[in-house]
Amino acid sequence: MLFLALRTLRARKGGFAGAFVALVCAAALVTACGALLETGLRGDIRIERYAGTDTVVTADQNLHWTKHKKGKTKTKSKPLTERAWLDATAVDTLRAIPGAEVVPELTFSAHVLTAGGRSLDTDGNAWGHAWESARLTPFALREGRAPTAAGEVVLDADLARRADVRVGGTVTVQAGRAPGGYRVVGIAAPPGRDALARQASVFFADVDARRLAGHPGQVASVGLFAAPGADPGTVRAAARKALAGTGAQVRTGTDRGPAEFPAATKARVTLVSLGGALGGTSLLVAILVVVGTFALSIQQRRREIALLRAIGATPRQIRRMVGREALVVGLIAGALGAFAGLGLARWLHGRFVAFGAMPDTLALKLSPIPLIGAVLLTLLAAWTAARVSVRRAARVRPTEALADAAIERPGLGVARTIGGVLAALGYGVLLLVLSTLDTEPKSTPVTFLTVILAAVAIALLGPLLARAATAVLGLVVGRLSPISGFLAARNARAAAERVAAVVTPLSLAVAMASTILFTQTTASHAAGEQVKAGTLASYTLVAKPGVPGRAAEAARAVPGVEVVTEVLHTLVRAGRDKFAAQGVTPQGVQRTLDPKTRSGSFAALADGTVAVSELAARTKGVGVGDDLRITMGDGVVVTLKVVAVYERGLGFGDLTLPHAVVAAHVDRPAAEAVLVSGTAALVRESLQRALGEFPGVRVLDRGEVEQARRDRAGTQAQVNYVAMGLIIAFTGIAVVNTLVMATSARRREFALLQLVGTTRRQVLRMLRWETGAVVLLAAVLGSLVAYATLTAYSVGMTASAAPYAPPLTYAAVLVAATGLAFVATVVPGRVALRGNPADTMGLRD
């Protein structure tokens, strides 16, 4: 059978081209997702700043908890969302180790500003340090001297160039609560370059650094050196022993990278979840598409298989032959697709870095593992698809084989019908489950699994749906076009399996595209409406590196201003549950924000208290008057009393805490926005004048704030669009692939129509009518699946059965699907009609 399989592949290269293309795309997707997943699990974080030391000591940058399940105890860990600081007593402990030299490190947000108040570091990755920690780095003075007194700084050479300042000049640096002027006493740089590749550096005198860091009695990390004559391994071992039980971590080698770039550690977790979700969805879509492609290929080979059965081939031999054909095609396609997937992985990594979803300090990890996995999964998908597709054709009795090949069976097999009904019931169950999920991490995978399960039901029950739909559409089409329309209707009804094979990927493309696009718009629109309705402030102050605290104080002194609320966002945990949180200035917050309180009083927010959303209250089982233990982003645990439960958690976060609490536990404490509410006499110009000493701070009205929010939401959604857009592209390729295969295989049918008197124009018109009917059926099915899925998603996420789908975007989806369908049928149709009909009828089937 292997010999026969190879001969068949040689003779039917065109018939296997569709399956080959689908498998190449599937392998590329799986490889790219596998590379992202491996990067999340094993990717190296590049070391820059700590290149001058072999050993770095930090606080534990993970949150740990114990999980009990089925009599077993497991310890789980998750990275903190902010930098955890180390108690300064660890410095004294390390200094007591014989042969150890200790260099404490302070790291805090510090931005050099232009005269117009713009931050020179466009990506916001600029940090201040004490000069004493320069020993940990590759920096050396290129000009000037070290800072020794308050008000003195050393800039990296790149910052000095962009600021157009030399030694002896002055710069404005925003660090701490207000920008300040500093005298440049030195310029430093790593060997052979002007700055570190991924961070700008400003070095302060030790007295300024301790004040600006805002963590008295703590250090960001400690560099550990072995004194001359001491053994580094012995010093490290002594350090681990001395710090045992304190939670401090001694890092060496590549483990120094996470200490330098905590954001890269968080990105690892994001990549694992994203790569897993994208890879799983891709694989399910790939299997569905490949099954459909092989089914169409087997359908076109029914006469061949019937002849083999008639001359004595057993069902087992037919299945083995087709299975081996699939393995050969899958092996070649998998190898090509796997190598193409490496380039796709690099592109995806670059896009995620460009969108800010992950730092470029987390290097893409490429190894043979994703390639091998992609090839194996492609082989498995091809073999499974072929075996499933050939079951019916292989079971036909030899005496009925040729007759069965000539006529399409009107009914479905029992197993296929039962499978289709079960898939439809499973889709309904998942809709109910989806309507109960109220967080994005829980709902996203279920959303796409729901769509795929609906596509499975459509694929299995497709012939029944096609016959019912074409029976109705045939009456309409036949009246509109008595010749071409009549032929189109008859053809569609007679070839329901072929119609179903085309409708399945097209409806999947419509459903998947609509779901991916409109889950984003639904959540974003609901959050935007909550923010719009709940923001009472007349004006909002914003600045690129954050609004300094002194700017908020200046705004409070403006005549007509009644309430000024500083707002700062973060992520916190309550137990094992992660929540989006905002820190707000408590005094008069009810005048600037209205989160729609359901119980308690939002005005009662004060030091030591917290307001929670209904989701957080339900998840943690707390209400007004209860205490809630919260783990801040840097791992510090605080206990706050719940004073209010509010509804608008999607727009304002699930926890609202005092601003001072949040600012003390984040890496960038400057307010992201400052809300200003006042009397009718308050005008924008007076606010802007009062903020003259803060040139980077802008005053926005409500319309400008709303536009800025939409821009931010669009940027955040781009990551999901790019990731899941690959699946849309894959299904689009599958649509074209299937339509070209289905149309190209009808050459003899078109030739016969021409021989009996139908003109070439009438055949093409018939083909357009058929395509129009198929597009209409697929659009209706895909839209119904997407609408039901989006409604369930909206109920869970927004408590409203009203998903938001911009009409123009939805129309664009339908236009794209229609365009693909017509191009993929009309072009092959024209090619198929080029030859002489009599010669075409004489060609081998």
Side-chain angles (χ1 to χ4, degrees):
M1 280 296 165
L2 179 59
F3 172 78
L4 186 57
L6 293 174
R7 293 296 297 269
T8 303
L9 286 173
R10 290 182 61 186
R12 285 186 170 270
K13 292 187 287 289
F16 287 97
F20 180 81
V21 171
L23 289 169
V24 167
C25 295
L29 272 176
V30 173
T31 301
C33 297
L36 294 180
L37 184 62
E38 187 178 15
T39 298
L41 293 172
R42 305 195 304 124
D44 293 331
I45 300 175
R46 299 184 181 97
I47 300 165
E48 286 191 348
R49 175 166 174 75
Y50 293 146
T53 177
D54 291 331
T55 307
V56 176
V57 180
T58 69
D60 190 351
Q61 302 296 318
N62 291 283
L63 177 66
H64 308 277
W65 66 86
T66 302
K67 186 177 181 180
H68 302 280
K69 188 177 182 180
K70 296 181 180 180
K72 296 182 179 180
T73 301
K74 292 184 178 180
T75 300
K76 297 287 186 177
S77 300
K78 290 289 184 181
L80 295 169
T81 57
E82 306 286 345
R83 185 190 305 273
W85 285 63
L86 185 66
D87 194 290
T89 56
V91 178
D92 298 328
T93 301
L94 292 170
R95 282 177 174 153
I97 297 174
E101 293 184 2
V102 178
V103 178
E105 155 84 322
L106 297 174
T107 298
F108 50 94
S109 179
H111 304 269
V112 177
L113 305 181
T114 65
R118 181 178 59 85
S119 176
L120 287 176
D121 50 287
T122 54
D123 59 357
N125 199 18
W127 302 98
H129 311 278
W131 177 254
E132 67 173 329
S133 64
R135 183 181 175 188
L136 308 178
T137 74
F139 279 97
L141 282 171
R142 182 178 291 180
E143 299 178 38
R145 60 173 176 81
T148 56
E152 296 180 344
V153 295
V154 168
L155 302 181
D156 70 45
D158 184 59
L159 271 180
R161 177 184 56 79
R162 284 186 283 169
D164 192 22
V165 64
R166 300 186 63 83
V167 173
T170 60
V171 292
T172 301
V173 181
Q174 180 170 315
R177 288 187 54 80
Y182 293 84
R183 189 163 67 92
V184 178
V185 296
I187 295 175
R193 47 189 173 149
D194 288 342
L196 299 177
R198 296 166 185 86
Q199 54 187 308
S201 302
V202 182
F203 294 96
F204 295 81
D206 296 345
V207 61
D208 277 342
R210 285 192 293 271
R211 173 178 58 84
L212 296 173
H215 286 266
Q218 294 180 308
V219 294
S221 61
V222 178
L224 185 63
F225 297 86
D231 178 56
T234 302
V235 171
R236 282 194 292 268
R240 289 190 175 95
K241 182 177 181 181
L243 296 173
T246 66
Q249 298 178 331
V250 179
R251 300 171 179 266
T252 61
T254 57
D255 197 31
R256 291 171 294 164
E260 184 175 352
F261 297 107
T265 306
K266 293 181 286 184
R268 276 179 166 174
V269 178
T270 302
L271 276 185
V272 169
S273 58
L274 180 63
L278 182 58
T281 305
S282 301
L283 192 59
L284 290 174
V285 172
I287 291 174
L288 185 62
V289 167
V290 173
V291 166
T293 305
F294 267 103
L296 186 58
S297 176
I298 296 298
Q299 182 186 348
Q300 294 170 358
R301 297 173 57 192
R302 286 192 303 172
R303 289 174 62 87
E304 172 194 326
I305 294 173
L307 181 60
L308 290 173
R309 291 287 287 124
I311 62 175
T314 65
R316 182 182 179 186
Q317 288 175 322
I318 297 295
R319 289 195 295 270
R320 287 173 63 188
M321 178 191 73
V322 174
R324 288 173 180 177
E325 292 170 358
L327 288 176
V328 174
V329 173
L331 181 61
I332 299 173
L336 290 176
F339 281 104
L342 295 178
L344 184 59
R346 290 190 182 93
W347 181 82
L348 274 175
H349 180 267
R351 289 294 85 205
F352 292 158
V353 170
F355 293 149
M358 61 177 291
D360 63 352
T361 50
L362 179 58
L364 181 65
K365 184 77 173 181
L366 295 178
S367 76
I369 296 175
L371 281 80
I372 296 171
V375 173
L376 292 177
L377 289 172
T378 302
L379 285 172
L380 179 61
W383 184 84
T384 303
R387 295 290 292 238
V388 169
S389 304
V390 81
R391 284 176 60 85
R392 181 173 179 177
R395 285 201 310 265
V396 179
R397 295 177 183 176
T399 54
E400 302 173 354
L402 290 174
D404 181 77
I407 303 173
E408 187 175 287
R409 290 186 181 183
L412 295 178
V414 175
R416 183 171 181 175
T417 303
I418 293 174
V421 171
L422 290 177
L425 292 175
Y427 172 68
V429 171
L430 283 183
L431 286 179
L432 293 176
V433 172
L434 185 59
S435 65
T436 65
L437 302 179
D438 45 20
T439 62
E440 191 171 350
K442 294 179 182 178
S443 62
T444 298
V446 177
T447 300
F448 298 118
L449 181 60
T450 303
V451 173
I452 292 172
L453 198 56
V456 171
I458 292 173
L460 294 174
L461 302 176
L464 294 179
L465 297 171
R467 289 191 185 97
T470 52
V472 176
L473 292 174
L475 298 175
V476 178
V477 172
R479 292 185 178 182
L480 294 175
S481 178
I483 298 177
S484 300
F486 173 80
L487 289 173
R490 291 293 180 176
N491 267 328
R493 291 190 65 183
E497 286 192 11
R498 185 186 70 216
V499 173
V502 173
V503 165
T504 297
L506 192 57
S507 60
L508 175 62
V510 172
M512 189 65 75
S514 299
T515 302
I516 290 171
L517 291 171
F518 302 140
T519 51
Q520 300 294 323
T521 57
T522 296
S524 178
H525 181 262
E529 290 298 302
Q530 289 186 7
V531 171
K532 186 176 179 180
T535 301
L536 309 180
S538 304
Y539 299 103
T540 300
L541 312 183
V542 297
K544 183 67 174 179
V547 181
R550 294 279 178 83
E553 294 174 4
R556 289 188 180 96
V558 175
V561 170
E562 295 180 330
V563 177
V564 172
T565 303
E566 296 172 86
V567 181
L568 183 59
H569 294 92
T570 187
L571 291 173
V572 301
R573 288 185 181 273
R576 289 176 290 175
D577 300 298
K578 184 187 289 187
F579 295 106
Q582 63 174 355
V584 300
T585 310
Q587 292 78 17
V589 66
Q590 72 278 5
R591 296 285 308 276
T592 55
L593 290 175
D594 176 21
K596 202 171 183 180
T597 305
R598 289 303 187 189
S599 60
S601 172
F602 195 61
L605 187 69
D607 292 341
T609 66
V610 61
V612 301
S613 69
E614 291 177 321
L615 169 62
R618 186 168 59 252
T619 302
K620 303 311 300 180
V622 297
V624 175
D626 294 333
D627 288 336
L628 181 62
R629 281 174 55 87
I630 301 169
T631 303
M632 302 302 294
D634 61 354
V636 175
V637 178
V638 297
T639 300
L640 305 175
K641 186 177 293 295
V642 177
V643 295
V645 177
Y646 54 85
E647 180 182 321
R648 293 172 174 151
L650 197 61
F652 293 105
D654 292 307
L655 300 179
T656 299
L657 302 86
H659 176 267
V661 174
V662 174
H665 301 285
V666 295
D667 295 339
R668 294 180 173 91
E672 296 168 18
V674 175
L675 308 180
V676 180
S677 181
T679 63
L682 177 63
V683 294
R684 181 174 184 169
E685 288 73 17
S686 60
L687 266 177
Q688 196 67 71
R689 283 195 301 271
L691 298 170
E693 62 177 303
F694 309 98
V697 178
R698 295 183 297 138
V699 181
L700 306 182
D701 59 25
R702 291 190 179 187
E704 292 168 328
V705 170
E706 177 61 19
Q707 182 59 49
R709 189 203 63 79
R710 285 196 294 266
D711 293 341
R712 287 195 304 272
T715 300
Q716 294 165 0
Q718 283 178 324
V719 175
N720 289 330
Y721 288 157
V722 168
M724 302 308 294
L726 293 176
I727 298 177
I728 297 177
F730 179 42
T731 53
I733 292 171
V735 168
V736 174
N737 198 15
T738 305
L739 287 168
V740 170
M741 287 177 61
T743 305
S744 300
R746 299 173 65 186
R747 290 181 301 167
R748 290 169 60 87
E749 174 192 333
F750 296 158
L752 181 60
L753 287 172
Q754 288 180 284
L755 289 175
V756 299
T758 309
T759 67
R760 184 172 182 271
R761 179 175 296 180
Q762 288 173 328
V763 174
L764 287 174
R765 192 178 296 127
M766 174 198 75
L767 194 58
R768 285 193 290 268
W769 278 112
E770 284 184 29
T771 305
V774 167
V775 168
L776 181 60
L777 177 57
V780 170
L781 290 174
S783 298
L784 288 175
V785 168
Y787 181 75
T789 305
L790 289 167
T791 299
Y793 173 85
S794 182
V795 168
M797 287 292 294
T798 70
S800 170
Y804 179 71
L808 290 178
T809 307
Y810 175 64
V813 171
L814 297 183
V815 169
T818 303
L820 282 176
F822 274 94
V823 169
T825 51
V826 173
V827 173
R830 288 183 179 275
V831 173
L833 288 167
R834 280 180 180 174
N836 184 284
D839 294 339
T840 302
M841 289 299 296
L843 295 174
R844 289 187 304 169
D845 189 19

